[in-house]
Amino acid sequence: MAQKQEYLSKNQQIVLNLIEKAKGPLKAYSILYDVQKKGIKAPLQVYRALEKLIKIGKIHKIESKNAFIACNNSECEISKATAFSICNNCEHVKEIKNTKLSKYLSNFQDNSGMKYKKYNLEFFGLCKNCKLKQ
Amino acid sequence: MAQKQEYLSKNQQIVLNLIEKAKGPLKAYSILYDVQKKGIKAPLQVYRALEKLIKIGKIHKIESKNAFIACNNSECEISKATAFSICNNCEHVKEIKNTKLSKYLSNFQDNSGMKYKKYNLEFFGLCKNCKLKQ
DNA sequence: CTTAATTTGTTATAATATAACGTTTGTTAT
DNA sequence: ATAACAAACGTTATATTATAACAAATTAAG
């Protein structure tokens, strides 16, 4: 489980800190708003930091929400294998840690002859809390 | 396998025809451009048609590409269970038909107590063609 | 040190998507 | 057939998400 050492630049560190202390996924422009006090002024500065953080696996993008969340899972080495559960009611998002699932998907092969190097899975439903309230 | 009969409105039919005859996923504004000769003038007209077509399962959205593709799969009843393979090189997108996979994911449960009603899975890699060319 | 690569700051703009409004069309129940 | 309701329409304006292009500053490696 060797951790690839990555040195983050100032902007990358600022953005990562914010995302890591957030309760859920953050959107790019909300990140921008929050880091303006730290001197980051333009969307591109945020997007560039996000791009790098995704590349090194520190965060993931929730594609269906255009939002970004800290990686919470040692299984998804460098963002190659991601799975999330998303509550349709409260919008709560959680990264799924499940070895069987990740093995199943990482080894998945269909008849197309394509070898998959990466996947992203998003499950939708009602979380326990919201199920009770209905 | 009873087919739910759906009557499409004029705009919905125009947009669906275009998507169905396309070779791959189409983006909303490219759809708009293509259907202007048919009288559709504004983005919202396209987005409304897309929304309905997704709802009734005629098309799917490829979230990582913000693009729309015709449904090619009797397994994904009303868009509840979708899986795609996406080539990182040529951008070719194909809906995956695989009963085992869809059963596995539809029945997937983790320890969160959440019952999943819907999922979207996107696999990335190199398709057979692009693998050869490398 | 110096060369190359990465990151930065900045302005402008592209691409994607929705709000709000009033009108028209289609469906259902009488 | 018509009233009542729901769905779809057309239109304008605007919100949201993301990237292009360029020059300067910083950092890593030979």
Side-chain angles (χ1 to χ4, degrees):
Chain A
M1 287 297 166
Q3 196 78 9
K4 192 172 171 189
Q5 176 68 52
E6 295 289 350
Y7 298 97
L8 297 180
S9 75
K10 185 173 125 274
N11 288 357
Q12 289 158 10
Q13 193 63 63
I14 291 169
V15 171
L16 179 59
N17 286 346
L18 184 69
I19 294 177
E20 282 187 334
K21 74 175 194 235
K23 296 258 194 289
L26 298 179
K27 309 207 126 206
Y29 278 72
S30 115
I31 293 170
L32 175 58
Y33 179 85
D34 286 345
V35 298
Q36 294 204 322
K37 63 198 83 154
K38 307 260 184 189
I40 293 180
K41 290 175 189 156
L44 241 198
Q45 296 176 288
V46 171
Y47 279 104
R48 288 199 280 226
L50 291 171
E51 183 182 29
K52 181 67 186 295
L53 293 169
I54 288 171
K55 199 164 146 198
I56 65 178
K58 294 287 191 188
I59 66 171
H60 306 302
K61 181 172 185 181
I62 312 295
E63 294 286 356
S64 64
K65 296 194 155 321
N66 299 315
F68 303 87
I69 191 170
C71 177
N72 181 35
N73 191 346
S74 62
E75 313 265 353
C76 54
E77 13 120 16
I78 317 295
S79 294
K80 292 289 181 282
T82 52
F84 302 95
S85 79
I86 302 171
C87 176
N88 281 325
N89 187 244
C90 70
E91 310 249 296
H92 184 80
V93 175
K94 197 162 173 306
E95 187 165 0
I96 295 173
K97 290 190 191 189
N98 187 293
T99 312
K100 273 191 190 171
L101 176 66
S102 60
K103 276 199 181 133
Y104 182 86
L105 292 175
S106 296
N107 294 324
F108 179 76
Q109 283 270 28
D110 64 3
N111 52 16
S112 70
M114 187 159 166
K115 173 65 187 156
Y116 302 117
K117 295 185 176 148
K118 180 176 181 325
Y119 67 79
N120 178 56
L121 171 60
E122 300 181 7
F123 278 111
F124 303 87
L126 286 180
C127 70
K128 221 166 28 175
N129 259 347
C130 291
K131 221 167 11 184
L132 292 175
K133 288 183 200 153
Q134 302 274 314
Chain B
M1 289 295 170
Q3 197 77 10
K4 193 172 172 189
Q5 175 68 54
E6 296 288 350
Y7 298 97
L8 297 180
S9 74
K10 184 173 126 273
N11 288 357
Q12 289 157 10
Q13 193 63 65
I14 291 170
V15 170
L16 180 58
N17 286 346
L18 184 69
I19 295 177
E20 282 186 335
K21 75 174 192 234
K23 295 256 192 289
L26 298 180
K27 308 208 126 206
Y29 278 72
S30 116
I31 292 170
L32 175 58
Y33 179 84
D34 286 345
V35 298
Q36 293 203 321
K37 63 198 84 155
K38 306 258 184 190
I40 293 180
K41 290 175 190 157
L44 203 42
Q45 296 175 288
V46 171
Y47 279 104
R48 286 200 280 225
L50 291 171
E51 183 183 29
K52 181 65 186 295
L53 293 169
I54 288 170
K55 199 164 146 198
I56 65 178
K58 294 287 191 188
I59 66 171
H60 305 302
K61 181 173 186 182
I62 312 296
E63 293 285 356
S64 63
K65 295 192 155 321
N66 299 314
F68 304 87
I69 192 170
C71 177
N72 181 34
N73 192 344
S74 62
E75 313 266 352
C76 54
E77 13 122 14
I78 317 296
S79 294
K80 291 290 182 280
T82 52
F84 302 95
S85 79
I86 302 171
C87 177
N88 280 325
N89 186 243
C90 70
E91 311 248 297
H92 184 80
V93 175
K94 197 162 172 307
E95 187 166 1
I96 294 174
K97 290 190 190 189
N98 187 294
T99 311
K100 274 190 187 170
L101 176 66
S102 60
K103 276 200 179 133
Y104 182 86
L105 292 175
S106 297
N107 294 324
F108 178 76
Q109 283 270 27
D110 64 4
N111 52 16
S112 71
M114 188 158 166
K115 173 64 186 157
Y116 302 118
K117 295 183 177 150
K118 180 175 179 330
Y119 66 79
N120 179 58
L121 172 59
E122 300 181 7
F123 278 111
F124 304 86
L126 286 181
C127 71
K128 220 165 29 173
N129 259 347
C130 292
K131 220 166 11 181
L132 292 176
K133 287 183 202 153
Q134 301 274 313

